[in-house]
Amino acid sequence: MAADGETMELDPREFDSVTFQKDPFPIYRRLRDYHPAFHDRFHNRWILTRYADVDAAFQDNQSFDRAIYDPDGDYDFGSRHIFGPNILEYGNSPQHRWLRNIVAGQFVGERLNVFLPIIDKIALEVISTFEKDGELELIRHFSSQFPIRVISNMLGLPREDEEMFVRWYQALIAGLGFGGEHLARGIAARNEMWEYLEPLIEIRRQNPGDDLLSRIAVAELEGKRMDIIEIKGFVALLLAAGGDTTDKAIANMWYHMLYTRPDVLPEVIADPELWSNVFTEMMRYDAVVHAQFRRTTREIPLHGEVIPKGASVILYLGGGNRDERTFKDPDVFDIHRDDLHMGRENRSGRYKDGKPGHLGFGMGPHFCMGYAMARQEAVIACAHLAKAMKNVRPKFATHPGITSPSIDSGGFRSPNELWIEFDRA
Ligand code: HEM
């Protein structure tokens, strides 16, 4: 139930407040308790926040569609998106399943294992640039550098071009959530990147190697390959979907170890396998992505309301992850909790151990394609960091905390800065 002093009433303008950006959890709780199917008339949308409802909506792709692109409508594929044409624009369609089937296999199992040495090498390389003992800002010096360099290396791009790729990435991410100049710079960076990629894609098609760009360039399903524009759109999407999210995940893991549960950090440092638990609990407690959008394709009766056909719906996975109907003491960050599936993600969201999974990667037909890669990257990076820095501690006793989108954040939740002190191991 809502905490003392909280009311049932909810003014939708609260969603636009700084308070909500910084700490959305009290509002999620009021929504779960009093308005489980909330009609936000001010923003013209519906909001779901209970674990069971968010999970069910993710799984029911037929009724809750993600499509922006409509092959029979006036929307030109990729035209309004900074990435250009990409899988996020497809909803419940054969095109989505085709694209997903052609690329998803590259990021799991044996194919992912081939890339693990790259992840390992890049983590150590970035750590080796830490200039002096004493202090550093973890996001600037590590987490914002590492995943994008991993992707560039996985794609098999020349190492001397890596800095350029990092610059394009930064411009694209800044352009993602914000209009005006940021958007214009983001689109210019994307076009430059596309120009750079095009001849490389042609070369890989004729003479493929084992890198990710070659694999995507020649992958075939039902006798068809992705065309050049689809490949370029997918690479652009990879930077945000795979780079920025993982960057923020690593920052959030360290934030929680340094400020939320410093008492647990020594245990995790002593047993690096526990970084995997830290990852899972971070994805539940304060996931990098809190909201996903859907459009209803039929009337949905729910909790005494009827969500009309064609309505915009926000699925607050950040709210579902804190649902006390599913998790005991949901507001406690506990890496040993026994009511959350702590192992690797399972696409169906149903586990043999009967425990629910976190909603941080979504669920169902659009479940994150990079779930295994993100976990591997985050766990490997955190273990290397912990080994390289002895006696690691926050530089400042207090921290403004994790926050939702601000300029240059790309729309994902994370701390803006994370200063740490350490002794070189
Ligand atoms: C911790 C890091 C990550 C988080 C929090 C995250 C989060 C998510 C979420 C919530 C979705 C569901 C979207 C929806 O239901 O509409 C999603 C989809 C997706 N993710 Fe991730 N992701 C992460 C890492 C990655 C990585 C490393 C890749 C690269 C391979 C990736 C590629 C994708 C793609 C391509 C989709 C669209 C899948 C589809 O529509 O079928 N993500 N991600």
Side-chain angles (χ1 to χ4, degrees):
M1 294 298 283
D4 288 350
E6 286 178 356
T7 64
M8 295 175 54
E9 294 310 315
L10 210 138
D11 180 341
R13 283 170 298 188
E14 288 185 57
F15 292 113
D16 305 324
S17 67
V18 174
T19 315
F20 182 69
Q21 277 186 348
K22 286 193 167 161
D23 184 11
F25 300 104
I27 293 185
Y28 292 157
R29 188 178 331 112
R30 275 154 68 200
L31 285 161
R32 284 193 307 264
D33 286 349
Y34 301 117
H35 311 279
F38 181 63
H39 186 193
D40 171 355
R41 290 186 169 79
F42 188 72
H43 299 94
N44 191 22
R45 63 196 180 183
W46 289 75
I47 293 178
L48 304 184
T49 39
R50 288 193 184 169
Y51 182 97
D53 297 333
V54 174
D55 178 23
F58 269 132
Q59 308 270 6
D60 184 359
N61 207 25
Q62 299 279 353
S63 311
F64 292 88
D65 196 353
R66 197 185 64 192
I68 307 172
Y69 171 61
D70 172 4
D72 304 320
D74 61 2
Y75 183 78
D76 188 10
F77 191 33
S79 58
R80 286 173 227 161
H81 214 298
I82 195 157
F83 306 132
N86 71 82
I87 193 169
L88 294 179
E89 308 213 309
Y90 288 129
N92 180 25
S93 63
Q95 294 100 311
H96 170 258
R97 283 184 287 279
W98 181 81
L99 257 186
R100 192 173 164 101
N101 289 340
I102 209 163
V103 282
Q106 305 298 339
F107 302 101
V108 290
E110 279 309 304
R111 299 218 171 173
L112 173 63
N113 287 347
V114 171
F115 293 124
L116 293 185
I118 291 183
I119 296 178
D120 215 55
K121 181 178 86 180
I122 302 292
L124 290 170
E125 250 181 50
V126 181
I127 288 172
S128 74
T129 66
F130 293 176
E131 268 172 16
K132 55 185 168 99
D133 299 358
E135 65 174 50
L136 70 100
E137 202 277 287
L138 193 74
I139 296 168
R140 185 162 3 119
H141 289 110
F142 187 81
S143 72
S144 65
Q145 300 287 323
F146 164 69
I148 189 62
R149 290 178 192 277
V150 168
I151 290 173
S152 163
N153 276 266
M154 282 171 71
L155 287 167
L157 304 183
R159 293 238 47 192
E160 60 272 20
D161 296 342
E162 208 170 298
E163 291 303 326
M164 197 162 68
F165 204 62
V166 172
R167 268 204 322 279
W168 287 329
Y169 161 71
Q170 283 158 353
L172 235 88
I173 296 302
L176 193 58
F178 313 98
E181 268 175 55
H182 287 279
L183 182 63
R185 275 203 296 271
I187 289 176
R190 181 207 66 192
N191 290 344
E192 250 180 62
M193 186 176 77
W194 277 5
E195 240 172 76
Y196 166 87
L197 283 175
E198 195 152 332
L200 289 182
I201 297 170
E202 297 288 3
I203 292 168
R204 306 285 163 94
R205 278 213 155 141
Q206 275 149 37
N207 194 7
D210 199 30
D211 56 88
L212 185 59
L213 194 59
S214 299
R215 290 186 195 180
I216 296 172
V218 298
E220 232 182 73
L221 189 70
E222 294 156 7
K224 260 194 328 177
R225 285 177 173 178
M226 283 162 81
D227 58 31
I228 299 264
I229 186 82
E230 281 170 334
I231 297 174
K232 292 193 300 191
F234 186 72
V235 172
L237 170 70
L238 258 188
L239 306 190
D244 199 33
T245 49
T246 311
D247 161 1
K248 263 95 198 183
I250 294 168
N252 289 359
M253 287 162 80
W254 277 95
Y255 170 82
H256 288 303
M257 284 298 94
L258 294 168
Y259 287 98
T260 313
R261 292 305 303 266
D263 56 318
V264 172
L265 182 58
E267 185 192 346
V268 177
I269 288 176
D271 179 2
E273 302 232 325
L274 286 175
W275 284 111
S276 188
N277 291 42
V278 176
F279 179 82
T280 311
E281 179 63 341
M282 175 278 297
M283 291 291 281
R284 182 200 69 82
Y285 182 84
D286 197 349
V288 178
V289 178
H290 269 224
Q292 288 295 311
F293 301 87
R294 295 293 190 264
R295 188 166 294 277
T296 49
T297 57
R298 63 174 177 89
E299 280 190 351
I300 317 267
L302 193 63
H303 301 299
E305 307 278 351
V306 178
I307 307 178
K309 181 177 170 185
S312 289
V313 182
I314 299 190
L315 307 180
Y316 268 123
L317 51 101
N321 274 333
R322 292 277 190 112
D323 191 343
E324 41 292 274
R325 292 156 196 81
T326 304
F327 301 111
K328 189 164 167 272
D329 298 329
D331 296 332
V332 176
F333 190 97
D334 177 1
I335 66 164
H336 296 298
R337 60 171 52 250
D338 59 12
D339 54 0
L340 172 67
H341 182 82
M342 277 288 169
R344 289 181 316 183
E345 286 71 20
N346 174 344
R347 265 152 209 262
S348 70
R350 308 277 172 261
Y351 294 90
K352 285 200 184 114
D353 58 16
K355 291 173 189 165
H358 67 77
L359 298 170
F361 284 131
M363 283 282 174
H366 293 287
F367 183 81
C368 177
M369 284 193 334
Y371 70 100
M373 176 172 150
R375 174 183 287 278
Q376 288 281 15
E377 279 188 273
V379 168
I380 291 173
C382 289
H384 278 312
L385 281 165
K387 204 166 154 203
M389 301 183 297
K390 244 191 2 208
N391 189 20
V392 61
R393 56 210 179 261
K395 180 176 177 195
F396 302 108
T398 56
H399 189 285
I402 287 180
T403 181
S404 284
S406 62
I407 283 283
D408 296 335
S409 80
F412 303 130
R413 266 179 79 77
S414 70
N416 285 332
E417 284 191 339
L418 199 54
W419 282 95
I420 54 179
E421 290 182 341
F422 63 97
D423 309 323
R424 186 68 90 167

